[in-house]
Amino acid sequence: MDAQNKGWLNGLVGVMIFAGSMPATRIAVTGFNPEFLTGARAVIAGLFALLILVVFKQRMPQLKDFIPLCITALGVVLGFPLFTALALQEISAARALVFVALLPLSTAIFGVFRAAERPSLAFWLFALIGSMLVIGFMLQGDQGQIFSRADLYMIVAILLCGLGYAEGGQLSKSLGGWQVICWALVIALPFMFVLSYYSLPQSLANVSISAYLGLIYVAVFSMLLGFFFWYKGLALGGIAKVGQIQLIQPFLGLMLSAIFLGESVSLAMVVVSIAVMLCVMMAKRFA
């Protein structure tokens, strides 16, 4: 298997893990406020990351890596978790997944600026078609809901996440995929501890088991393990190219929402899912 195919395989595993993020966050915000959830998930993941770095005796990053690591942390440790949690207080996981469909474009655009990647015109065409298919499907059952503050939160989240993906993916080429997310979490750890401490709910007695399970998922899987595969995939296969796999994430997320949040899965979803996967394959071919 060549490097690009390995990159796509790792990226696919990462996306499968990330697919549970929106449903898990939606469940977690029923028991925790967004600020505490953001801080707590980062603290839990950061402590595991610190342990991993110590066990595997990783050297400190070079000074030139510090700013890219801070940008990565801003995007994926603070920005995306915080703004999605704020949004999911007001909107459903399904509506949030409308905006997740824009992540491949956001990642590819930042990849052009950060990694000087130059995908072909055909790549951009299939990337746009795939994004439009996902957004069209998501909005067809929107019931006329107007643009809201929560939607603005999701747009900010997508922009910050695309930036964090591109920056971390580029840095992974020299530092290593799992090392990037671990160091980003460790750098953010003191700040996230302060955030979680000052946003701690007055009482945790009434928090449900499901909310705790949601917190555990977004902390261990979404915040840490998923990035092991995702950043390795971006480094091996290219940021813009592998980023297109994210087009599958909304549909995987909807399936999980149907299971855990009681949302229905229609035949149209299956049909559009197949069309989107064809767009992903064509984008990969022309990348």
Side-chain angles (χ1 to χ4, degrees):
M1 187 181 294
D2 60 25
Q4 188 174 92
N5 286 328
K6 287 182 180 178
W8 278 72
L9 179 59
N10 277 277
L12 177 60
V13 175
V15 165
M16 291 173 67
I17 294 173
F18 292 151
S21 298
M22 291 298 107
T25 301
R26 184 70 182 87
I27 293 171
V29 293
T30 61
F32 305 106
N33 64 70
E35 295 80 9
F36 176 78
L37 177 61
T38 301
R41 64 186 282 181
V43 168
I44 294 170
L47 292 175
F48 277 115
L50 182 60
L51 177 62
I52 291 169
L53 291 169
V54 171
V55 169
F56 289 95
K57 300 178 181 179
Q58 296 297 299
R59 295 180 179 179
M60 291 285 292
Q62 299 180 30
L63 186 61
K64 65 181 179 63
D65 296 330
F66 183 75
I67 292 179
L69 283 170
C70 288
I71 295 174
T72 301
L74 174 66
V76 302
V77 178
L78 175 62
F80 185 75
L82 177 59
F83 284 101
T84 53
L86 287 168
L88 285 166
Q89 280 192 313
E90 304 176 20
I91 60 176
S92 67
R95 185 171 176 87
L97 286 165
V98 173
F99 298 93
V100 174
L102 299 176
L103 256 180
L105 273 180
S106 178
T107 303
I109 291 169
F110 281 111
V112 167
F113 289 106
R114 179 61 186 92
E117 296 185 353
R118 295 294 182 268
S120 68
L121 182 60
F123 167 87
W124 289 111
L125 176 62
F126 284 108
L128 284 169
I129 291 173
S131 296
M132 293 304 102
L133 281 171
V134 175
I135 293 172
F137 169 77
M138 296 293 184
L139 292 179
Q140 73 175 357
D142 194 53
Q143 298 179 347
Q145 184 174 350
I146 62 173
F147 191 82
S148 65
R149 179 179 61 180
D151 296 329
L152 179 60
Y153 287 150
M154 284 304 305
I155 290 175
V156 175
I158 295 307
L159 290 173
L160 288 173
C161 191
L163 173 62
Y165 279 174
E167 196 70 33
Q170 176 68 7
L171 188 57
S172 296
K173 296 176 181 178
S174 59
L175 194 59
W178 67 267
Q179 290 91 337
V180 166
I181 188 58
C182 284
W183 284 117
L185 284 164
V186 168
I187 287 173
L189 186 57
F191 306 99
M192 304 311 284
F193 179 81
V194 171
L195 176 62
S196 59
Y197 177 79
Y198 282 101
S199 58
L200 182 69
Q202 292 184 349
S203 175
L204 297 174
N206 296 323
V207 178
S208 66
I209 297 296
S210 60
Y212 279 111
L213 291 176
L215 170 59
I216 292 171
Y217 187 92
V218 295
V220 177
F221 293 93
S222 303
M223 191 90 273
L224 185 63
L225 295 182
F227 281 101
F228 282 26
F229 297 96
W230 183 241
Y231 278 149
K232 184 177 181 179
L234 294 179
L236 289 173
I239 295 169
K241 302 171 189 176
V242 174
Q244 294 308 298
I245 301 175
Q246 294 171 105
L247 283 171
I248 302 171
Q249 184 174 334
F251 296 101
L252 296 176
L254 274 185
M255 292 177 186
L256 293 173
S257 295
I259 295 172
F260 295 105
L261 300 176
E263 298 181 9
S264 61
V265 177
S266 66
L267 177 61
M269 174 184 167
V270 177
V271 173
V272 176
S273 296
I274 294 172
V276 167
M277 284 187 280
L278 289 174
C279 287
V280 172
M281 292 171 62
M282 295 303 291
K284 177 181 183 293
R285 177 180 177 182
F286 290 106

Short mmCIF file of all heavy atoms in Angstrom, two decimals, residues 158-199:
data_model
loop_
_atom_site.label_atom_id
_atom_site.label_comp_id
_atom_site.label_asym_id
_atom_site.label_seq_id
_atom_site.Cartn_x
_atom_site.Cartn_y
_atom_site.Cartn_z
N ILE A 158 -16.39 25.60 12.27
CA ILE A 158 -15.88 24.95 11.06
C ILE A 158 -14.62 25.65 10.56
O ILE A 158 -13.66 25.01 10.14
CB ILE A 158 -16.96 24.93 9.97
CG1 ILE A 158 -18.14 24.05 10.40
CG2 ILE A 158 -16.38 24.44 8.65
CD1 ILE A 158 -17.76 22.66 10.84
N LEU A 159 -14.60 26.97 10.60
CA LEU A 159 -13.42 27.71 10.18
C LEU A 159 -12.22 27.41 11.08
O LEU A 159 -11.11 27.16 10.60
CB LEU A 159 -13.71 29.22 10.18
CG LEU A 159 -14.67 29.71 9.10
CD1 LEU A 159 -15.02 31.18 9.32
CD2 LEU A 159 -14.08 29.51 7.72
N LEU A 160 -12.45 27.41 12.38
CA LEU A 160 -11.36 27.13 13.31
C LEU A 160 -10.88 25.68 13.19
O LEU A 160 -9.68 25.40 13.28
CB LEU A 160 -11.81 27.42 14.75
CG LEU A 160 -11.97 28.89 15.10
CD1 LEU A 160 -12.59 29.05 16.49
CD2 LEU A 160 -10.62 29.62 15.06
N CYS A 161 -11.82 24.77 12.96
CA CYS A 161 -11.45 23.36 12.83
C CYS A 161 -10.63 23.14 11.55
O CYS A 161 -9.63 22.42 11.56
CB CYS A 161 -12.70 22.49 12.81
SG CYS A 161 -12.36 20.73 12.98
N GLY A 162 -11.05 23.75 10.44
CA GLY A 162 -10.29 23.63 9.20
C GLY A 162 -8.88 24.15 9.36
O GLY A 162 -7.90 23.55 8.87
N LEU A 163 -8.73 25.27 10.08
CA LEU A 163 -7.41 25.82 10.36
C LEU A 163 -6.58 24.86 11.20
O LEU A 163 -5.41 24.60 10.91
CB LEU A 163 -7.56 27.16 11.09
CG LEU A 163 -6.27 27.80 11.61
CD1 LEU A 163 -5.32 28.12 10.46
CD2 LEU A 163 -6.58 29.05 12.43
N GLY A 164 -7.19 24.30 12.25
CA GLY A 164 -6.48 23.36 13.12
C GLY A 164 -6.10 22.08 12.40
O GLY A 164 -5.01 21.53 12.63
N TYR A 165 -6.98 21.60 11.52
CA TYR A 165 -6.67 20.40 10.75
C TYR A 165 -5.48 20.65 9.81
O TYR A 165 -4.56 19.84 9.71
CB TYR A 165 -7.88 19.99 9.90
CG TYR A 165 -8.94 19.22 10.66
CD1 TYR A 165 -10.14 18.88 10.05
CD2 TYR A 165 -8.75 18.83 11.98
CE1 TYR A 165 -11.13 18.17 10.72
CE2 TYR A 165 -9.73 18.12 12.66
CZ TYR A 165 -10.92 17.80 12.03
OH TYR A 165 -11.88 17.10 12.70
N ALA A 166 -5.52 21.78 9.09
CA ALA A 166 -4.46 22.08 8.12
C ALA A 166 -3.13 22.31 8.82
O ALA A 166 -2.09 21.79 8.38
CB ALA A 166 -4.85 23.29 7.28
N GLU A 167 -3.15 23.07 9.90
CA GLU A 167 -1.91 23.36 10.63
C GLU A 167 -1.34 22.09 11.24
O GLU A 167 -0.13 21.82 11.14
CB GLU A 167 -2.18 24.39 11.72
CG GLU A 167 -0.94 25.06 12.28
CD GLU A 167 -0.28 26.00 11.29
OE1 GLU A 167 -0.99 26.62 10.48
OE2 GLU A 167 0.96 26.12 11.34
N GLY A 168 -2.19 21.30 11.88
CA GLY A 168 -1.72 20.05 12.49
C GLY A 168 -1.28 19.03 11.46
O GLY A 168 -0.30 18.31 11.67
N GLY A 169 -1.99 18.98 10.32
CA GLY A 169 -1.62 18.05 9.27
C GLY A 169 -0.26 18.37 8.68
O GLY A 169 0.54 17.47 8.41
N GLN A 170 0.02 19.66 8.47
CA GLN A 170 1.32 20.08 7.95
C GLN A 170 2.43 19.77 8.94
O GLN A 170 3.50 19.26 8.58
CB GLN A 170 1.28 21.58 7.63
CG GLN A 170 2.60 22.17 7.16
CD GLN A 170 3.04 21.67 5.81
OE1 GLN A 170 2.29 20.95 5.13
NE2 GLN A 170 4.23 22.03 5.39
N LEU A 171 2.19 20.06 10.22
CA LEU A 171 3.19 19.82 11.25
C LEU A 171 3.45 18.33 11.46
O LEU A 171 4.56 17.92 11.83
CB LEU A 171 2.75 20.48 12.56
CG LEU A 171 3.75 20.50 13.71
CD1 LEU A 171 5.04 21.19 13.31
CD2 LEU A 171 3.13 21.19 14.93
N SER A 172 2.43 17.51 11.21
CA SER A 172 2.57 16.06 11.38
C SER A 172 3.63 15.47 10.46
O SER A 172 4.19 14.41 10.75
CB SER A 172 1.23 15.36 11.13
OG SER A 172 0.28 15.74 12.09
N LYS A 173 3.91 16.12 9.34
CA LYS A 173 4.91 15.61 8.40
C LYS A 173 6.29 15.57 9.02
O LYS A 173 7.12 14.73 8.65
CB LYS A 173 4.92 16.48 7.14
CG LYS A 173 3.62 16.45 6.36
CD LYS A 173 3.67 17.40 5.18
CE LYS A 173 2.35 17.38 4.41
NZ LYS A 173 2.35 18.34 3.27
N SER A 174 6.55 16.47 9.96
CA SER A 174 7.87 16.51 10.60
C SER A 174 7.84 16.01 12.04
O SER A 174 8.80 15.40 12.51
CB SER A 174 8.43 17.94 10.57
OG SER A 174 7.54 18.84 11.23
N LEU A 175 6.72 16.25 12.74
CA LEU A 175 6.66 15.92 14.15
C LEU A 175 6.00 14.57 14.42
O LEU A 175 6.29 13.92 15.43
CB LEU A 175 5.89 17.03 14.90
CG LEU A 175 5.99 17.05 16.43
CD1 LEU A 175 7.43 17.19 16.88
CD2 LEU A 175 5.16 18.20 16.98
N GLY A 176 5.14 14.12 13.50
CA GLY A 176 4.40 12.87 13.72
C GLY A 176 2.96 13.18 14.10
O GLY A 176 2.69 14.14 14.82
N GLY A 177 2.02 12.35 13.60
CA GLY A 177 0.60 12.61 13.80
C GLY A 177 0.16 12.63 15.25
O GLY A 177 -0.42 13.61 15.73
N TRP A 178 0.43 11.53 15.98
CA TRP A 178 -0.04 11.48 17.36
C TRP A 178 0.74 12.44 18.25
O TRP A 178 0.23 12.95 19.25
CB TRP A 178 0.01 10.05 17.89
CG TRP A 178 1.37 9.45 18.06
CD1 TRP A 178 2.05 8.69 17.16
CD2 TRP A 178 2.21 9.53 19.22
NE1 TRP A 178 3.27 8.30 17.67
CE2 TRP A 178 3.39 8.79 18.94
CE3 TRP A 178 2.09 10.15 20.47
CZ2 TRP A 178 4.44 8.67 19.85
CZ3 TRP A 178 3.13 10.02 21.38
CH2 TRP A 178 4.29 9.29 21.08
N GLN A 179 1.98 12.72 17.89
CA GLN A 179 2.77 13.67 18.66
C GLN A 179 2.18 15.08 18.59
O GLN A 179 2.19 15.82 19.58
CB GLN A 179 4.22 13.69 18.18
CG GLN A 179 5.00 12.43 18.50
CD GLN A 179 4.93 11.38 17.39
OE1 GLN A 179 4.00 11.40 16.58
NE2 GLN A 179 5.91 10.49 17.35
N VAL A 180 1.66 15.44 17.40
CA VAL A 180 1.11 16.79 17.24
C VAL A 180 -0.08 17.01 18.17
O VAL A 180 -0.13 18.00 18.90
CB VAL A 180 0.68 17.02 15.77
CG1 VAL A 180 -0.20 18.26 15.66
CG2 VAL A 180 1.90 17.18 14.88
N ILE A 181 -1.04 16.10 18.17
CA ILE A 181 -2.21 16.31 19.01
C ILE A 181 -1.84 16.21 20.49
O ILE A 181 -2.38 16.95 21.32
CB ILE A 181 -3.35 15.32 18.65
CG1 ILE A 181 -4.63 15.70 19.40
CG2 ILE A 181 -2.94 13.88 18.91
CD1 ILE A 181 -5.14 17.11 19.13
N CYS A 182 -0.91 15.33 20.83
CA CYS A 182 -0.50 15.21 22.23
C CYS A 182 0.16 16.50 22.73
O CYS A 182 -0.17 17.01 23.81
CB CYS A 182 0.45 14.03 22.41
SG CYS A 182 -0.37 12.41 22.40
N TRP A 183 1.08 17.05 21.93
CA TRP A 183 1.74 18.29 22.35
C TRP A 183 0.77 19.47 22.35
O TRP A 183 0.85 20.35 23.22
CB TRP A 183 2.94 18.59 21.45
CG TRP A 183 4.14 17.74 21.74
CD1 TRP A 183 4.75 16.83 20.93
CD2 TRP A 183 4.88 17.71 22.97
NE1 TRP A 183 5.81 16.23 21.56
CE2 TRP A 183 5.93 16.76 22.82
CE3 TRP A 183 4.79 18.39 24.19
CZ2 TRP A 183 6.85 16.47 23.83
CZ3 TRP A 183 5.70 18.10 25.20
CH2 TRP A 183 6.71 17.16 25.02
N ALA A 184 -0.15 19.51 21.40
CA ALA A 184 -1.15 20.58 21.38
C ALA A 184 -2.01 20.54 22.64
O ALA A 184 -2.32 21.57 23.24
CB ALA A 184 -2.01 20.47 20.13
N LEU A 185 -2.40 19.33 23.05
CA LEU A 185 -3.19 19.17 24.27
C LEU A 185 -2.41 19.56 25.51
O LEU A 185 -2.94 20.20 26.43
CB LEU A 185 -3.67 17.72 24.38
CG LEU A 185 -4.83 17.33 23.46
CD1 LEU A 185 -4.96 15.81 23.38
CD2 LEU A 185 -6.14 17.95 23.94
N VAL A 186 -1.13 19.19 25.55
CA VAL A 186 -0.30 19.51 26.72
C VAL A 186 -0.08 21.02 26.82
O VAL A 186 -0.13 21.60 27.91
CB VAL A 186 1.05 18.76 26.64
CG1 VAL A 186 2.04 19.29 27.68
CG2 VAL A 186 0.83 17.27 26.84
N ILE A 187 0.16 21.67 25.68
CA ILE A 187 0.32 23.13 25.69
C ILE A 187 -0.95 23.82 26.18
O ILE A 187 -0.89 24.80 26.93
CB ILE A 187 0.68 23.62 24.26
CG1 ILE A 187 2.13 23.23 23.93
CG2 ILE A 187 0.52 25.14 24.14
CD1 ILE A 187 2.52 23.53 22.50
N ALA A 188 -2.09 23.29 25.79
CA ALA A 188 -3.37 23.90 26.18
C ALA A 188 -3.81 23.51 27.58
O ALA A 188 -4.72 24.14 28.14
CB ALA A 188 -4.46 23.50 25.18
N LEU A 189 -3.20 22.49 28.16
CA LEU A 189 -3.67 21.91 29.42
C LEU A 189 -3.84 22.93 30.55
O LEU A 189 -4.89 22.95 31.20
CB LEU A 189 -2.73 20.78 29.84
CG LEU A 189 -3.15 19.96 31.07
CD1 LEU A 189 -4.52 19.34 30.87
CD2 LEU A 189 -2.11 18.85 31.35
N PRO A 190 -2.85 23.80 30.84
CA PRO A 190 -3.05 24.76 31.95
C PRO A 190 -4.24 25.68 31.72
O PRO A 190 -5.01 25.96 32.66
CB PRO A 190 -1.74 25.55 31.96
CG PRO A 190 -0.75 24.67 31.27
CD PRO A 190 -1.52 23.93 30.23
N PHE A 191 -4.41 26.15 30.49
CA PHE A 191 -5.52 27.07 30.18
C PHE A 191 -6.87 26.36 30.27
O PHE A 191 -7.85 26.93 30.76
CB PHE A 191 -5.32 27.65 28.78
CG PHE A 191 -3.99 28.31 28.58
CD1 PHE A 191 -2.95 27.65 27.94
CD2 PHE A 191 -3.76 29.60 29.05
CE1 PHE A 191 -1.72 28.25 27.76
CE2 PHE A 191 -2.53 30.21 28.87
CZ PHE A 191 -1.51 29.53 28.23
N MET A 192 -6.91 25.12 29.80
CA MET A 192 -8.17 24.39 29.83
C MET A 192 -8.54 23.97 31.26
O MET A 192 -9.72 23.86 31.60
CB MET A 192 -8.08 23.17 28.92
CG MET A 192 -7.70 23.50 27.48
SD MET A 192 -8.68 24.84 26.74
CE MET A 192 -10.20 23.98 26.40
N PHE A 193 -7.53 23.74 32.08
CA PHE A 193 -7.80 23.44 33.49
C PHE A 193 -8.45 24.64 34.17
O PHE A 193 -9.42 24.49 34.92
CB PHE A 193 -6.51 23.06 34.21
CG PHE A 193 -6.71 22.76 35.67
CD1 PHE A 193 -7.17 21.52 36.09
CD2 PHE A 193 -6.46 23.73 36.64
CE1 PHE A 193 -7.37 21.24 37.45
CE2 PHE A 193 -6.66 23.47 37.99
CZ PHE A 193 -7.11 22.22 38.39
N VAL A 194 -7.93 25.83 33.89
CA VAL A 194 -8.51 27.06 34.45
C VAL A 194 -9.94 27.24 33.96
O VAL A 194 -10.84 27.57 34.74
CB VAL A 194 -7.64 28.28 34.08
CG1 VAL A 194 -8.35 29.58 34.48
CG2 VAL A 194 -6.28 28.19 34.76
N LEU A 195 -10.16 27.01 32.65
CA LEU A 195 -11.50 27.15 32.09
C LEU A 195 -12.48 26.19 32.74
O LEU A 195 -13.60 26.58 33.12
CB LEU A 195 -11.45 26.89 30.57
CG LEU A 195 -12.80 26.89 29.84
CD1 LEU A 195 -13.48 28.24 29.95
CD2 LEU A 195 -12.62 26.48 28.38
N SER A 196 -12.08 24.94 32.92
CA SER A 196 -12.98 23.95 33.52
C SER A 196 -13.22 24.25 34.99
O SER A 196 -14.33 24.04 35.50
CB SER A 196 -12.42 22.54 33.34
OG SER A 196 -11.14 22.42 33.93
N TYR A 197 -12.21 24.76 35.67
CA TYR A 197 -12.35 25.06 37.11
C TYR A 197 -13.36 26.20 37.33
O TYR A 197 -14.24 26.11 38.19
CB TYR A 197 -11.00 25.44 37.70
CG TYR A 197 -11.06 25.83 39.16
CD1 TYR A 197 -11.14 24.86 40.16
CD2 TYR A 197 -11.04 27.18 39.54
CE1 TYR A 197 -11.22 25.22 41.50
CE2 TYR A 197 -11.11 27.54 40.87
CZ TYR A 197 -11.20 26.56 41.85
OH TYR A 197 -11.27 26.92 43.17
N TYR A 198 -13.23 27.27 36.54
CA TYR A 198 -14.09 28.44 36.74
C TYR A 198 -15.47 28.26 36.13
O TYR A 198 -16.37 29.07 36.40
CB TYR A 198 -13.41 29.70 36.19
CG TYR A 198 -12.35 30.24 37.12
CD1 TYR A 198 -11.01 30.00 36.88
CD2 TYR A 198 -12.70 30.97 38.25
CE1 TYR A 198 -10.02 30.48 37.73
CE2 TYR A 198 -11.73 31.46 39.12
CZ TYR A 198 -10.38 31.20 38.85
OH TYR A 198 -9.43 31.68 39.72
N SER A 199 -15.65 27.25 35.30
CA SER A 199 -16.98 26.99 34.74
C SER A 199 -17.61 25.73 35.34
O SER A 199 -18.62 25.25 34.83
CB SER A 199 -16.88 26.85 33.22
OG SER A 199 -15.99 25.81 32.86
#
